[in-house]
């Protein structure tokens, strides 16, 4: 892939305590995902723009129309993200909140280095099982992980949703919270309420 541009980041809330990092879906951007912060508990938020251009928006890794995700590019973008994060967060606890392909990127980050994070929300997405990252038994032991899925989601393949659910709630060892909601590939009032409740508990425990 081409050279990765410098991070573009927008923030909300304070600048101390645990940091909640919001990761948008494919074709989204940092401004749109930051709108979530107004619906979530008051804390420190940072929304990062994916480094890969995708139409009028951005993505976290290359995606080919016929072949699907190009997981060979995710190692570079994860390293780019970690360099930004280590500088931006320092020693502060970090909670990841990823939507759709941002959820897959979140999954890659926690599988790559589960001890770096205080929690992760995998929202309407799937873990990147085909990326070569270690989805082994006990890999996420004790890590708070929140999974949301839409019962009529036509974007995420059903078999990957089922595999993500089974792994997170089972052999991963995560401290898992998993919910399915009526509807498709997007937030509902109930899923936003449950995300807010989960974040309150996770941020309080991290802080």
């Amino acid at each position: 892939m081409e050279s990765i541009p410098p991070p573009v980041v927008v923030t909300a809330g304070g600048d101390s305590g645990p940091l909640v990092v919001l990761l948008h879906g494919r074709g989204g951007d940092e401004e749109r995902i930051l709108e979530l912060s107004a619906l979530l508990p008051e804390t420190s938020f940072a929304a990062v723009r994916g480094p890969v251009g995708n139409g009028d928006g951005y993505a976290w890794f290359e995606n080919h129309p016929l072949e699907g995700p190009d997981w060979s590019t995710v190692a570079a973008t994860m390293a780019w993200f970690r360099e930004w994060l280590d500088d931006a967060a320092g020693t502060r606890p970090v909670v990841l909140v990823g939507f759709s392909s941002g959820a897959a990127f979140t999954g890659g980050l926690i599988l790559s280095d589960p001890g770096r994070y205080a929690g992760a929300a995998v929202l309407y997405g799937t873990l990147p099982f085909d990326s070569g990252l270690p989805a082994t038994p006990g890999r996420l032991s004790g890590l708070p992980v929140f999974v949301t899925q839409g019962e009529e989601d036509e974007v995420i393949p059903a078999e990957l949703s089922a595999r993500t659910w089974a792994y997170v709630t089972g052999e991963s060892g995560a401290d898992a919270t998993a919910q399915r909601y009526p509807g498709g590939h997007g937030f509902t009032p109930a899923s936003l309420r449950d995300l807010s409740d989960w974040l309150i508990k996770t941020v309080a425990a991290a802080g």
Side-chain angles (χ1 to χ4, degrees):
M1 61 185 297
E2 297 179 0
S3 61
I4 301 178
V8 176
V9 183
V10 291
T11 61
D15 56 4
S16 61
L19 176 65
V20 176
V21 180
L22 304 173
L23 304 173
H24 60 77
R26 183 159 56 94
D29 63 30
E30 71 286 356
E31 296 285 354
R32 278 178 278 179
I33 196 68
L34 188 66
E35 294 174 4
L36 269 184
S37 65
L39 306 174
L40 298 174
E42 184 175 347
T43 188
S44 178
F45 290 95
V48 185
R49 176 186 296 176
V52 179
N54 187 272
D56 293 333
Y58 302 90
W60 298 101
F61 40 81
E62 299 282 359
N63 194 82
H64 304 299
L66 297 180
E67 295 85 358
D70 181 355
W71 295 118
S72 68
T73 63
V74 78
T77 56
M78 286 198 306
W80 168 90
F81 177 86
R82 278 294 304 269
E83 183 177 0
W84 165 79
L85 181 67
D86 291 344
D87 181 62
T91 60
R92 298 163 64 190
V94 174
V95 179
L96 302 174
V97 175
F99 170 72
S100 191
S101 70
F105 192 66
T106 292
L109 291 166
I110 59 175
L111 289 173
S112 175
D113 188 5
R116 176 66 179 89
Y117 304 100
V122 178
L123 309 176
Y124 300 93
T126 177
L127 297 184
F129 292 109
D130 295 330
S131 64
L133 292 166
T136 50
R139 181 65 178 171
L140 305 180
S141 181
L143 180 69
V145 179
F146 182 45
V147 172
T148 68
Q149 297 181 350
E151 293 174 346
E152 290 84 42
D153 194 330
E154 297 182 354
V155 174
I156 305 300
E159 63 274 17
L160 287 178
S161 291
R163 187 176 177 187
T164 296
W165 183 285
Y167 178 72
V168 172
T169 61
E171 67 176 353
S172 76
D175 178 9
T177 303
Q179 297 286 350
R180 292 191 177 105
Y181 303 92
H185 190 71
F187 295 106
T188 66
S191 66
L192 286 171
R193 181 180 64 246
D194 291 344
L195 173 61
S196 180
D197 291 345
W198 179 83
L199 266 180
I200 288 171
K201 294 185 293 184
T202 303
V203 168

